[in-house]
Amino acid sequence: MEYRYLFGGSLLFTCCFLLYYYQSHLLFNINRTYIRSSPIPAIRNHTAIILARQPTSKVLKHLDALVKIGINAFVMCDEQPSKYTNITNRILYVDDETLARYRLTRNRVWDRVFLWLYNQTWIDYVWLMEDDLTWTHARHMLALFNKYEHNTADLLSRNIIYRNNETLDWMWWPKIVLKILPEKKWSGSLNMLSRISHRLINAHKYYIEQLYNERQYIIESQFDDNYYYQEFLIPTVAHMFNLTMLMYDSSNMNVFFTSLSEDDIRQSLKDGKKIFHAVKHNSSLLINT
């Protein structure tokens, strides 16, 4: 009788073990197949800031689209956004009093974003885009960001020019030459969509402070406000510090300074374009997500 119980116990243990092994092996194979068929995308560490006068519904839609695909995105406002504070904590603002400390009185959103960036030591690179830049789908923005993820250029821009005999007619060159920014270093760039490095942010801060000090000793008629214009100042201070400036691949973009009509957008879509500027209206041809 005792042997019968021992044999029965052994048989029961063996059956339970085989059942457990088969179930575990089956579940392992199911989980392994699931992981293979549904890979988790790698997390990207991209930061982007939309520059806007105010957080309109279109701007917030663009912000939401970027955040949803894993981009650490924000909106910098040019107007005091206190009435929008309950919308999202991704709305940024630098007040006029802070701008005035640097004698930045033209109150452009570009001045505000740079003053904010001066204190963001955690940012190595940041993409800046104006609020009239749009796309057919946010994944095309992510593809652009990923493409240059390992590129160490300090400025990535749509276009870059240098002061020479062929570019003398560019409208944003200053009319007065200052010794702290010699003419041979003058540069220009199209920055409606651009990426800047922390090194360039530091160079920008240095020359904003230098311009402030310079203005202490000259009368206003001897100073040209174009020194503060971002399409001049950003590439010029990069040139002063011998930083690297490159033009990104814009082959799938229709990005320029002129406004695009519906007919322009329609033709660009036929040509395979995915990213657009300047779109001042709510285009029915663009998904805007």
Side-chain angles (χ1 to χ4, degrees):
M1 180 70 68
E2 183 176 354
Y3 291 107
R4 187 185 306 168
Y5 281 117
L6 288 174
F7 176 78
S10 299
L11 180 62
L12 180 63
F13 174 81
T14 301
C15 291
C16 289
F17 176 80
L18 290 174
L19 180 63
Y20 172 80
Y21 174 81
Y22 174 79
Q23 183 180 21
S24 299
H25 186 68
L26 177 62
L27 287 175
F28 175 77
N29 284 336
I30 292 174
N31 288 334
R32 182 174 58 185
T33 304
Y34 174 77
I35 291 172
R36 283 179 178 176
S37 62
S38 303
I40 300 174
I43 296 175
R44 304 285 183 175
N45 187 27
H46 302 302
T47 300
I49 303 177
I50 302 171
L51 310 182
R53 183 176 180 182
Q54 56 185 227
T56 63
S57 58
K58 178 182 176 182
V59 169
L60 292 175
K61 191 174 183 180
H62 282 67
L63 173 66
D64 184 61
L66 294 173
V67 171
K68 280 183 176 178
I69 59 172
I71 296 171
N72 190 27
F74 301 88
V75 174
M76 174 61 73
C77 290
D78 198 31
E79 294 182 357
Q80 220 295 333
S82 57
K83 62 182 177 181
Y84 307 106
T85 52
N86 293 329
I87 298 176
T88 174
N89 60 359
R90 291 183 173 273
I91 295 178
L92 310 174
Y93 179 71
V94 174
D95 58 37
D96 292 348
E97 291 75 15
T98 303
L99 291 177
R101 293 175 197 162
Y102 293 89
R103 300 188 71 169
L104 300 172
T105 57
R106 298 175 74 171
N107 296 340
R108 284 196 296 260
V109 68
W110 280 92
D111 296 329
R112 299 185 197 279
V113 76
F114 266 96
L115 262 62
W116 184 81
L117 287 169
Y118 291 168
N119 299 313
Q120 311 309 313
T121 56
W122 56 275
I123 292 179
D124 292 323
Y125 296 93
V126 57
W127 286 90
L128 304 176
M129 63 187 76
E130 295 179 343
D131 60 351
D132 50 0
L133 181 119
T134 188
W135 48 77
T136 56
H137 197 285
R139 66 173 177 269
H140 301 301
M141 300 301 295
L142 182 59
L144 174 68
F145 298 171
N146 287 346
K147 183 173 183 176
Y148 293 96
E149 182 176 14
H150 301 295
N151 187 297
T152 59
D154 296 286
L155 173 63
L156 291 173
S157 180
R158 168 66 176 80
N159 192 36
I160 297 171
I161 63 172
Y162 299 93
R163 174 79 164 183
N164 55 48
N165 291 334
E166 297 179 356
T167 61
L168 293 178
D169 59 347
W170 191 52
M171 64 183 297
W172 297 113
W173 297 129
K175 304 300 188 292
I176 299 171
V177 178
L178 299 178
K179 291 183 179 179
I180 61 172
L181 289 170
E183 191 174 2
K184 66 180 181 180
K185 290 288 189 176
W186 287 5
S187 310
S189 58
L190 283 178
N191 300 329
M192 62 283 288
L193 173 61
S194 58
R195 193 196 72 175
I196 59 175
S197 70
H198 190 72
R199 292 181 295 271
L200 180 48
I201 293 168
N202 288 338
H204 189 280
K205 180 180 181 181
Y206 174 82
Y207 274 102
I208 285 292
E209 293 172 345
Q210 292 299 305
L211 288 170
Y212 176 87
N213 293 332
E214 184 78 8
R215 295 178 69 181
Q216 306 300 311
Y217 306 103
I218 61 176
I219 60 176
E220 284 302 301
S221 61
Q222 295 176 330
F223 186 80
D224 191 329
D225 281 343
N226 278 357
Y227 276 101
Y228 291 122
Y229 187 66
Q230 53 89 11
E231 292 191 343
F232 167 80
L233 185 60
I234 294 173
T236 298
V237 300
H239 200 180
M240 289 294 297
F241 274 84
N242 296 318
L243 301 180
T244 305
M245 297 186 286
L246 294 175
M247 291 184 287
Y248 52 70
D249 178 10
S250 59
S251 58
N252 72 336
M253 305 180 193
N254 187 351
V255 172
F256 208 53
F257 55 80
T258 53
S259 295
L260 298 173
S261 66
E262 287 292 88
D263 287 340
D264 295 329
I265 296 171
R266 186 177 291 106
Q267 183 58 52
S268 294
L269 289 170
K270 290 180 181 178
D271 295 338
K273 307 302 183 184
K274 308 296 184 183
I275 301 172
F276 303 84
H277 181 280
V279 181
K280 304 289 186 181
H281 61 286
N282 288 319
S283 173
S284 61
L285 299 172
L286 299 178
I287 300 174
N288 289 328
T289 58

